[in-house]
Amino acid sequence: MPPTHTPQQTEMPAPAEAVAPLMRGIAVLRRLTDEGGTMSPSAIERSTGLARSTVDRITATLARMEYVRPAGRDVTLAPRLMELGNAYLSALRIPSLLGGRADALADELDESVSLAVGDGDGIRFVHQATRRRAMSLSFRIGDLLPAERTAPGPLLAAGWDAEAWQRWRERRATDPEGLAFAAVPPHSPPDEQEFAVRAERARRDGWALDDQLIEPGLVALAVPVRSHGGHVACLVSVVSHTSRHTAASLRDTLLPRLLTAAAAMEQDLRQAPPAAAPDPPAALASWTGASKQELGREFNESLARGLTVLAAFGEGREALTLTEVALATGLARATARRALITLEHLGYVTVRDREHRLTPRVLALGYPPLSVATLPQIAQPHLTTLTGQVRDSASLAVLVGDDIQYTGRVATRRIMNVNITVGTRFPAHATSMGRVLLAAQPAPERESRLARTPPHALTPYTVTRPDDLRAVLDGVLADGYALVDEELEVGLRSVAVPVHDRRGTVVAAVNVAMHSSSRTLEECVTDVLPRLRATAGRIEADLHITERYVRVPAM
């Protein structure tokens, strides 16, 4: 097992005013993150050295905040935790300002492109535009890499002072193989002289190469993107495989285009409008007292209040004074001050001229494993809850051509059950989820589908006349749900609602399916539909948090 310490973790003793429950809660989140997002309470206990009662209290508090959820006997990170990393990325503004340029460059070069920032003596990714290949880049937003094994690292090291170099040496001395960097395989790193030479060359040339230092077979080229003040705002790199490029051919072929893209990014930074005015104070911690009263000792109010401080930052709130943090969270100044002292000690907040800012290390709180979630993975726990409520099977599906394809499903345990598996496809016109998805299509697209593939009968009850189906779809659009009775299979009844992304586009549908003898049509509307809509709302809430800075695959 990798060492329990983390890269750049402070060795200084905690200040007397530090909040111990906040420190312990963050330690649990870091272990969950490093282990891929899921651990048993016993494993958390062993890896952190915390008492089991303490672990249980921390996970109960985090579950109340919806930052973790139970998964059988395990604890797993939940999408809402990403609001902490989103606060940092929103305050940074780099992904929103430059992410489109990175995506376009990846399309142009047909290679993976990354944006990274410095984090101590490492680099941390803040945007990824990856290419889908058998051998593709697997780094995630929030992953931390040692500077000496990357292309951006020498460019950052070119600006280090003597103190920064000394911290780098100390880290290498305590962890020579980089075992604490969970995102990369263990490797004997280059010696100090070699890295110093690379840093000097990067300072002179304005670009840097990584020739299979991260992993055999991977090569990368990086250039800096500077702000109008001249300091490095981020680093843009292109990553390829040795089956496509050597390090030298990557440089010779792609450096001019990478430099052009970096220049365009710098122009975007210079011309960026001021950050949006901050929203009114949200009083993020106002609910903690009620939670404490309800859960008693199981709820650790100090931990919850400390984490709300991180969520107080964002666009227009990239730098906050103590007074502003207290106002935004609803915390007393003394409470906010102790939380900020703790977060600064742990490296998640930095302070200058009485203004506090988040550091890239905030992304280490769950962001890497959560940033690669698919829509079915996001929906699955909610489908499980829904199935438990209605005692019938619940499913998620997307539109594929003229069919729906099941991408998520939780079956109920009954003698007579609806037997459908993930991957199954059915004609969209005869299913509740298909009608929800068809109804959401623009009118020209819907008409094109009907003309291309006229509806056909699957049972004696299937709607097959195009005019009748048009009227049905118009009603689905107006009502916001579809109810289909024995049109796909005799005896099968289902009700479905849409799932919307952040832009309001319908990207999937969820349904409950049952035998027609188990509920009347009226009971489907009065009993099942409200729970189904609530489930879709919870899926959408998690999806909207997740996709703020990452792309969420629908399948």
Side-chain angles (χ1 to χ4, degrees), residues 278-290:
D279 297 329
L284 298 172
S286 61
W287 58 273
T288 59

Side-chain angles (χ1 to χ4, degrees), residues 198-476:
R198 290 180 66 210
E200 176 57 29
R201 186 181 301 127
R203 185 195 62 78
R204 182 190 67 228
D205 297 339
W207 52 266
L209 280 171
D210 163 21
D211 190 357
Q212 305 183 73
L213 291 173
I214 280 291
E215 187 171 339
L218 284 182
V219 290
L221 173 68
V223 300
V225 177
R226 300 184 182 276
S227 69
H228 60 275
H231 76 275
V232 176
C234 68
L235 302 114
V236 55
S237 59
V238 56
V239 183
S240 189
H241 194 268
T242 49
S243 61
R244 295 170 59 84
H245 283 286
T246 65
S249 71
L250 189 70
R251 174 200 61 207
D252 295 341
T253 305
L254 302 185
L255 181 59
R257 283 184 279 182
L258 190 57
L259 289 171
T260 298
M265 290 179 181
E266 292 177 346
Q267 183 72 7
D268 288 343
L269 291 180
R270 286 192 293 269
Q271 296 178 348
D279 297 329
L284 298 172
S286 61
W287 58 273
T288 59
S291 297
K292 179 67 174 178
Q293 286 187 342
E294 181 179 341
L295 299 181
R297 287 180 52 82
E298 293 301 309
F299 185 77
N300 192 315
E301 195 169 7
S302 296
L303 168 58
R305 286 174 168 177
L307 292 177
T308 63
V309 168
L310 296 176
F313 292 80
E315 185 171 355
R317 302 187 303 276
E318 66 275 8
L320 296 176
T321 64
L322 170 59
T323 299
E324 290 168 334
V325 169
L327 182 63
T329 59
L331 295 172
R333 277 176 55 89
T335 303
R337 178 175 174 273
R338 290 190 65 200
L340 288 168
I341 288 172
T342 308
L343 294 168
E344 182 184 2
H345 167 70
L346 295 175
Y348 297 95
V349 168
T350 185
V351 60
R352 182 177 180 182
D353 297 331
R354 298 187 178 183
E355 288 188 327
H356 302 81
R357 288 177 168 82
L358 299 184
T359 73
R361 196 174 300 184
V362 174
L363 294 173
L365 301 179
Y367 217 89
L370 291 171
S371 69
V372 293
T374 64
L375 179 54
Q377 290 169 334
I378 291 171
Q380 194 70 14
H382 301 294
L383 296 179
T384 300
T385 299
L386 177 61
T387 296
Q389 292 171 341
V390 301
R391 304 299 180 186
D392 277 304
S393 301
S395 303
L396 178 82
V398 297
L399 195 61
V400 178
D402 296 318
D403 298 334
I404 61 163
Q405 181 170 335
Y406 283 72
T407 58
R409 180 165 172 78
V410 177
T412 188
R413 294 184 179 180
R414 282 188 172 182
I415 295 174
M416 186 167 57
N417 195 12
V418 179
N419 186 21
I420 300 170
T421 59
V422 170
T424 299
R425 291 174 65 158
F426 290 125
H429 72 276
T431 66
S432 61
M433 290 190 287
R435 288 183 179 174
V436 163
L437 295 167
L438 289 173
Q441 298 289 304
E445 173 64 19
R446 196 193 312 169
E447 288 301 316
S448 175
R449 287 178 182 275
L450 290 174
R452 182 175 66 246
T453 310
H456 57 283
L458 297 168
T459 76
Y461 308 105
T462 308
V463 174
T464 57
R465 292 184 58 202
D467 286 345
D468 292 342
L469 184 58
R470 288 187 186 95
V472 168
L473 295 179
D474 288 341
V476 169

